[in-house]
């Protein structure tokens, strides 16, 4: 039975590669990259072996703990994780529990993350090459640590299995995970600064982690190298006990999960709340706007764009602190205007086949385009206003308000107009309705990047008048150019918005059935 | 429920058939999905389109309703050419497609309201009809639930409500009874019957022969993208049942003795 599960996992892995040549090439390139990085890592570990034992301990324990933590956290927050051997799928088969546990655990090691973790853990032996006893212990501990990763990860996955079948949990977690990913740079820099500021910090952290399940197996070889055999034995016993406890808990939760099929508890709600539909005019345009705005409020793929908005100034603030140059902060407004305006450039791709409703009701292209533009404007206008005025006000450079407001308004209006044209003409694979906004669908590839890059270039060209005037303002310091930027941004932007909605509408009227067919490919 | 083809959606040419299809064809790459289909759906008929999986039913109906551009052929709804005057034709039709998503982050009530407003109906009429439809389809208690949390059968029903909201004169329903519970299916049949008796026309696709034989007055058998037989149900089935006639036309019945080990005694 264990062999069956392993063979199943291998077959799934092989078949997933067979689906497309390009996917295979991607996996091979990714694999080579991963192997290259792994090779470098092992070399680095080997070279690091001449460092002091104390430093080696800190590096190994902290890095190793991070790996274990990653294994636990990733399945909790990611709905795109490899769940090929999802315990929920074995509910209907009568597999004896010990064999199921062993099969699932080994199956989890086979697979790219598992193999890389195991190889990296074994590579850790190289760092102990000057301490033969520690190196021998490190081999055993590397294998046990990988097992711990897998068991802890599966336990986490089983524990949240009932949660992940709930739509609300999926929606929320897929957005929460965006925050650390966007702020990854500052977070890493913060941790690095922590190490720099206090020399003892790494040592203290490693000492604490060494007695937690995260770092226990990574600290044992260090104890052996120090000659602290009693501590090593104690720690090893603690690690094995932890592993056994986790395995036991996993078995318990699995046994429970297998007899409690996942279900989505939904409270029934009666009619009476039309939300945005009762606040917008009862016209096709108003209805499209209300629908789009409801999605901005409820669909994680759209909410992701909103979550990013307040993070942009945070990110820029961080880089401003790093460089000591705060002038870039004044450009937060135009940047947010660009991000939000561009976010509807794939609106029909996001609708996926639900778009048939627009087609079958014969809604005009103008109403479809205008409604979507209106919805994003409702969200973007206040956000752009706040983030244009705010930084100028804080930095006491309100005299730049006309020029920056002109840029923001110009970029926002032009961008929405241009997106209205783009989404009526080009569709590409985006995360499907209900999927995590981070998920990259298969076959995304070239067309998407081409549309994005060319789109950005065209958009830049369209706002050149405002840009030129703004540059003239900053070069000459003449406030006339500032006011001119505001006027041109408003007037030209409004004209391009109307033109974009009109042109997009015409293209839509001509090609709506083809659009439906294009999005249906990715369903 | 007093659902009947409304005055606004009334036939432009009452004397012309509800749906006329001539030489409709569609090719996807190497595969010819629909290979020259001709169909006449008389006004006031309840028309069943039957065929095995992959016969081209959905493709035919998609092309007939303006969702998929045909490679060849023409379609008229009450004399209005669907592909030459799509906006007029779509006013006359109510569509329930199969195998597509809905805007499922809306509540059921919002979705049907959306369908009505998109068609340019006024707010009060929409509100009144939404309430009627939700009641008739037994969805009132779940009207405020998101469609994404609906069961398969409820999703079918809410999509059907979206197709009925503008009181069309032709209903095109692709697999309307799939995953719908028997009570709801009976309710839907009542609604459709009273709709037909008041002058509306319905075309449904299905692979449940019994249902089509009991419910429909006309039927067409379609396989491999071609119409094998069409006419009134009695003409199509002759002396045998529709199911036997269907199997006879389509073939592929497996009569060999098999799965002997599955017998429990």
């Amino acid at each position: 039975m264990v062999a069956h599960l392993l063979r199943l996992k291998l077959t799934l892995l092989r078949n997933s590669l067979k689906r497309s040549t390009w996917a295979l090439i991607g996996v091979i390139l990714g694999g080579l990259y991963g192997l290259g990085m792994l090779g470098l890592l092992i070399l680095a570990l080997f070279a690091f072996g001449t460092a002091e034992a104390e430093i080696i301990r800190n590096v190994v324990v902290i890095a190793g703990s991070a790996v274990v933590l990653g294994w636990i956290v990733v399945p909790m927050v990611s709905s795109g994780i490899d769940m090929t051997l999802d315990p929920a799928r074995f509910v209907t088969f009568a597999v004896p529990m010990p064999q199921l546990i062993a099969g699932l655990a080994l199956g989890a090691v086979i697979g790219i993350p598992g193999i890389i973790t195991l190889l990296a853990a074994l590579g850790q032996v190289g760092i102990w090459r000057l301490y033969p006893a520690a190196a021998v212990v490190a081999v055993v501990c590397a294998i046990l640590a990988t097992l711990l990763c897998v068991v802890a990860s599966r336990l986490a996955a089983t524990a949240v299995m009932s949660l992940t079948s709930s739509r609300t949990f999926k929606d929320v977690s897929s957005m929460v995970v965006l925050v650390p990913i966007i702020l990854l740079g500052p977070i890493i820099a913060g941790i690095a600064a922590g190490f720099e500021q206090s020399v003892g910090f790494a040592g203290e952290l490693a000492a604490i982690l060494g007695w937690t399940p995260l770092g226990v197996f990574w600290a044992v070889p260090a104890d052996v190298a120090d000659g602290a055999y009693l501590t090593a034995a104690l720690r090893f016993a603690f690690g094995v006990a932890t592993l056994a406890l986790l395995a036991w808990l996993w078995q318990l939760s699995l046994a429970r999960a297998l007899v409690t099929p996942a279900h989505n508890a939904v409270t029934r709600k009666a009619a009476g709340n039309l939300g945005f539909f009762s606040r917008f005019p009862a016209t096709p345009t108003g209805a499209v706007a209300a629908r789009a705005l409801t999605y901005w409020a409820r669909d994680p793929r759209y909410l992701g764009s909103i979550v990013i908005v307040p993070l942009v100034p945070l990110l820029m603030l961080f880089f401003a602190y790093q460089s000591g140059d705060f002038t870039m902060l004044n450009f937060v407004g135009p940047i947010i205007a660009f991000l939000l305006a561009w976010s509807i450039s794939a609106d029909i791709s996001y609708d996926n086949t639900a778009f048939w409703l627009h087609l079958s009701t014969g809604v005009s292209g103008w109403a479809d385009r205008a409604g979507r533009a209106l919805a994003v404007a409702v969200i973007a206008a206040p956000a752009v206003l706040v983030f244009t005025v705010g930084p100028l006000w804080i930095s006491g450079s309100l005299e730049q308000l006309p020029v920056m407001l002109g840029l923001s308004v110009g970029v926002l209006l032009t961008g929405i107009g241009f997106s209205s044209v783009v989404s009526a003409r080009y569709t590409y694979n985006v995360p499907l309705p209900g999927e995590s906004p981070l998920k990259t669908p298969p076959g995304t590839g070239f067309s998407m990047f081409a549309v994005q890059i060319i789109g950005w270039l065209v958009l830049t060209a369209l706002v050149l008048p405002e840009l030129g005037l703004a540059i003239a303002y900053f070069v000459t310091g003449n406030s006339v150019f500032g006011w001119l930027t505001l006027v041109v941004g408003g007037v030209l932007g409004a004209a391009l918005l109307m033109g974009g909605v009109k042109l997009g509408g015409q293209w839509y009227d001509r090609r709506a059935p083809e659009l439906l067919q294009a999005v249906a490919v990715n369903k | 429920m007093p659902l009947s083809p409304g005055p606004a959606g009334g036939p432009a040419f009452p004397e012309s058939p509800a749906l006329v299809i001539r030489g409709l064809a569609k090719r996807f790459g190497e595969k010819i999905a629909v290979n020259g289909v001709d169909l006449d759906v008389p006004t006031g008929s309840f028309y069943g389109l039957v065929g095995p999986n992959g016969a081209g039913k959905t493709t035919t109906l998609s092309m007939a309703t303006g969702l998929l551009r045909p490679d060849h052929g023409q379609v008229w709804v009450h004399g209005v050419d669907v592909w030459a005057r799509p906006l007029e034709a779509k006013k006359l039709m109510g569509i329930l497609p199969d195998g597509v998503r809905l805007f499922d982050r809306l509540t059921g009530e919002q979705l049907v309201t959306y369908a009505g407003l998109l068609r340019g109906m006024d707010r009060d009429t929409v509100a009144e009809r939404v309430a009627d439809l939700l009641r008739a389809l037994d969805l009132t208690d779940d009207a405020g639930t998101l469609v994404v949390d609906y069961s398969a059968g409820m999703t079918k029903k809410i999509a059907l409500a979206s197709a009925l909201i503008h009181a069309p004169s032709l209903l095109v329903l692709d697999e309307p009874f799939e995953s719908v519970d028997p009570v709801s299916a009976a309710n839907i049949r009542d609604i459709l019957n009273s709709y037909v008796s008041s002058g509306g026309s319905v075309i449904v696709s299905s692979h449940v022969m019994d249902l089509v034989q009991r419910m429909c007055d006309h039927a067409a058998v379609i396989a491999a993208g071609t119409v094998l037989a069409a006419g009134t149900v009695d003409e199509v089935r002759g002396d045998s049942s529709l199911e036997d006639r269907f199997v006879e036309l389509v073939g592929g019945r497996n009569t060999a003795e098999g799965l002997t080990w599955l017998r429990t005694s």
Side-chain angles (χ1 to χ4, degrees), chain A residues 216-242:
Chain A
V216 60
F217 280 120
W218 308 106
V220 175
D223 293 334
V224 174
D226 285 348
Y229 296 112
L230 184 64
T231 318
L234 269 176
R235 218 192 281 270
F236 188 78
F238 173 60
V240 173
T242 308

Side-chain angles (χ1 to χ4, degrees), chain A residues 469 472-483:
Chain A
L469 286 166
Y473 168 84
F474 283 112
V475 171
T476 64
N478 189 338
S479 67
V480 173
F481 286 116
W483 288 104

Side-chain angles (χ1 to χ4, degrees), chain A residues 146 301 423-424 498 500:
Chain A
T146 310
R301 299 171 304 159
S423 88
M498 294 309 287

Side-chain angles (χ1 to χ4, degrees), chain A residues 114-360:
Chain A
I115 291 172
I116 286 184
T117 306
L118 183 63
L119 290 180
L122 286 173
Q124 178 230 168
V125 173
I127 207 171
W128 296 112
R129 68 199 155 90
L130 298 183
Y131 309 87
V136 173
V137 175
V139 175
V140 181
C141 285
I143 294 168
L144 286 174
T146 310
L147 260 180
L148 183 77
C149 283
V150 168
V151 170
S153 153
R154 293 287 120 175
L155 173 62
T158 314
V160 297
M161 189 168 86
S162 56
L163 283 179
T164 49
S165 71
S166 132
R167 188 182 44 76
T168 321
F169 178 83
K170 259 192 209 159
D171 288 1
V172 172
S173 69
S174 64
M175 273 182 309
V176 168
V177 73
L178 276 175
V179 178
I181 288 178
I182 291 167
L183 296 181
L184 199 60
I187 290 172
I188 291 176
I191 294 173
F195 282 114
E196 274 170 29
Q197 276 161 15
S198 83
V199 187
F201 178 65
E204 285 166 32
L205 185 62
I208 296 168
L209 287 173
W211 284 108
T212 66
L214 297 181
V216 60
F217 280 120
W218 308 106
V220 175
D223 293 334
V224 174
D226 285 348
Y229 296 112
L230 184 64
T231 318
L234 269 176
R235 218 192 281 270
F236 188 78
F238 173 60
V240 173
T242 308
L243 185 57
L245 179 71
L246 288 179
W248 182 68
L249 283 176
W250 180 32
Q251 180 181 346
L252 272 190
S253 67
L254 194 59
R256 212 176 132 252
L258 285 179
V259 294
T260 345
H263 71 283
N264 193 0
V266 176
T267 42
R268 306 175 80 186
K269 287 201 201 87
N273 186 7
L274 280 174
F276 292 115
F277 285 93
S278 51
R279 289 190 194 91
F280 277 84
T283 59
T285 308
V288 173
R291 199 280 303 169
L293 214 51
T294 311
Y295 266 56
W296 276 96
R298 273 192 201 142
D299 189 325
R301 299 171 304 159
Y302 285 94
L303 269 170
S305 308
I306 298 184
V307 169
I308 290 172
V309 167
L311 297 181
V312 171
L314 264 181
L315 209 58
M316 293 190 65
L317 194 65
F318 168 74
F319 288 119
Y321 265 112
Q322 295 262 305
S323 63
D325 176 14
F326 285 82
T327 52
M328 274 308 286
L329 269 182
N330 292 351
F331 289 86
V332 167
I335 290 174
I336 287 176
F338 165 76
L339 285 177
L340 284 174
W342 186 250
S343 63
I344 60 162
S345 67
D347 231 27
I348 291 184
S349 304
Y350 277 121
D351 289 353
N352 202 266
T353 50
F355 176 62
W356 74 267
L357 187 66
H358 286 211
L359 193 49
S360 74

Side-chain angles (χ1 to χ4, degrees), chain A residues 167 171 264 266-284 287-288 291 294-295 298-300 351-363 372 432-434 510-514 516-517 523, chain B residues 26 28 65-69 83 86-87 90-91 93 95-107 109-111 113-115 117-123 127 134 138-146 148-149 154 159 162:
Chain A
R167 188 182 44 76
D171 288 1
N264 193 0
V266 176
T267 42
R268 306 175 80 186
K269 287 201 201 87
N273 186 7
L274 280 174
F276 292 115
F277 285 93
S278 51
R279 289 190 194 91
F280 277 84
T283 59
V288 173
R291 199 280 303 169
T294 311
Y295 266 56
R298 273 192 201 142
D299 189 325
D351 289 353
N352 202 266
T353 50
F355 176 62
W356 74 267
L357 187 66
H358 286 211
L359 193 49
S360 74
T361 50
V363 63
R372 295 172 196 263
L432 297 177
R510 253 199 326 269
R511 297 191 66 256
E514 280 72 25
L516 179 62
Q517 223 187 325
K523 69 179 177 185
Chain B
K26 183 76 190 178
F28 294 112
T65 50
L67 297 184
L68 178 68
R69 202 184 295 278
W83 287 96
L87 294 188
K90 282 169 184 170
K91 282 204 176 77
M93 279 187 286
I95 308 168
L96 172 70
D98 186 41
V100 292
R101 291 171 190 272
L102 298 172
F103 283 108
D104 57 13
R105 302 260 158 174
L106 300 181
T107 66
E109 188 190 16
Q110 283 177 329
L111 182 66
T113 306
Y114 187 41
L117 294 177
L118 279 184
R119 289 186 177 274
M121 298 164 63
D122 68 83
R123 199 190 289 281
L134 290 174
D138 194 27
L139 285 171
T140 310
D141 290 341
D142 294 291
T145 310
L146 297 196
V148 65
D149 293 330
M154 287 158 79
S162 312

